[in-house]
Amino acid sequence: MMVSEYFSAYTSAVMQAGDNYLPLCRSAESDLVKLLGEDGYTFLSILDDTNMEAVKVTNDHGTLVVERGLEGTKAVTHPEGSCVKSVSPAILAAIKDLVCNYDCCSGDCVCAPVSNHFIELAPAKAGQQWTGAILFDGTPPVTCGVGDLPAWVSAKAQGSAIILSGIAPAKASETTISFAATNCSGTAVHTGTAKIVVSA
């Protein structure tokens, strides 16, 4: 049975590309086992400074089994302290749609213009590592970018997503950022804004 309750933690060690377990501290691992219940599963994202990976985590009689590199993402090595958190249904549905519609037709393919975005920007806590993502729909390839970032945030375009990361400053703040994406050989453009909030 799929569990949709929110979960968030940080990796307690390096997670190699071939690992099929999550290196979590004992308390976080125990919390996730309890959350999943017997034979339950959920989808999580692992985000570090340069990569985002979607995984499926199943509670197999008290042992957490991880299926790596789902929904068009790649199993890569994640450093200690990478953010592990629940994948929202909107993000998962968007990734599935992008994967299912990529290069699926023969002959002349109809290009679905980029027209929506999905935001994963949880509030940042002062002095702590923070990650977020903005994902775009539409037929790949999608070219995307972001502007007006605060100095402590770095951004990387990865496929149809923008991965944001950084260590939040000690002072509370709220910054409005802008972003844009284009596809269909540059004939479709989608823009928007979002807020990055730092709580003290």
Side-chain angles (χ1 to χ4, degrees):
M1 178 180 70
M2 180 175 171
V3 175
S4 58
E5 292 183 51
Y6 187 76
F7 174 80
S8 178
Y10 293 94
T11 55
S12 58
V14 173
M15 186 177 187
Q16 301 294 340
D19 291 346
N20 63 353
Y21 66 92
L22 276 174
L24 300 174
C25 67
R26 287 185 181 179
S27 60
E29 184 175 343
S30 177
D31 288 345
L32 185 53
V33 169
K34 288 177 185 176
L35 181 69
L36 295 179
E38 189 174 336
D39 301 325
Y41 68 91
T42 192
F43 292 96
L44 300 173
S45 61
I46 306 172
L47 296 102
D48 58 48
D49 289 347
T50 57
N51 296 290
M52 177 179 70
E53 179 183 350
V55 300
K56 178 181 179 181
V57 181
T58 303
N59 179 8
D60 185 6
H61 301 92
T63 300
L64 295 175
V65 179
V66 181
E67 189 176 344
R68 304 286 303 274
L70 299 182
E71 315 306 342
T73 64
K74 185 178 179 181
V76 297
T77 298
H78 298 282
E80 179 180 350
S82 296
C83 179
V84 179
K85 63 181 180 179
S86 301
V87 178
S88 74
I91 291 290
L92 190 62
I95 294 173
K96 282 180 178 287
D97 183 68
L98 288 171
V99 172
C100 289
N101 289 296
Y102 180 74
D103 199 22
C104 290
C105 51
S106 57
D108 292 332
C109 293
V110 176
C111 181
V114 60
S115 60
N116 279 308
H117 61 270
F118 307 92
I119 297 177
E120 283 282 325
L121 299 179
K125 292 184 180 178
Q128 294 188 12
Q129 179 68 37
W130 173 87
T131 55
I134 304 171
L135 181 71
F136 301 93
D137 70 357
T139 301
V142 173
T143 302
C144 48
V146 64
D148 305 315
L149 290 174
W152 61 273
V153 176
S154 62
K156 179 183 178 183
Q158 183 177 325
S160 298
I162 299 170
I163 310 301
L164 305 171
S165 63
I167 297 177
K171 187 177 179 181
S173 64
E174 184 175 293
T175 305
T176 300
I177 64 172
S178 58
F179 52 82
T182 182
N183 69 341
C184 301
S185 300
T187 61
V189 177
H190 175 74
T191 61
T193 59
K195 288 184 180 179
I196 297 177
V197 177
V198 177
S199 57

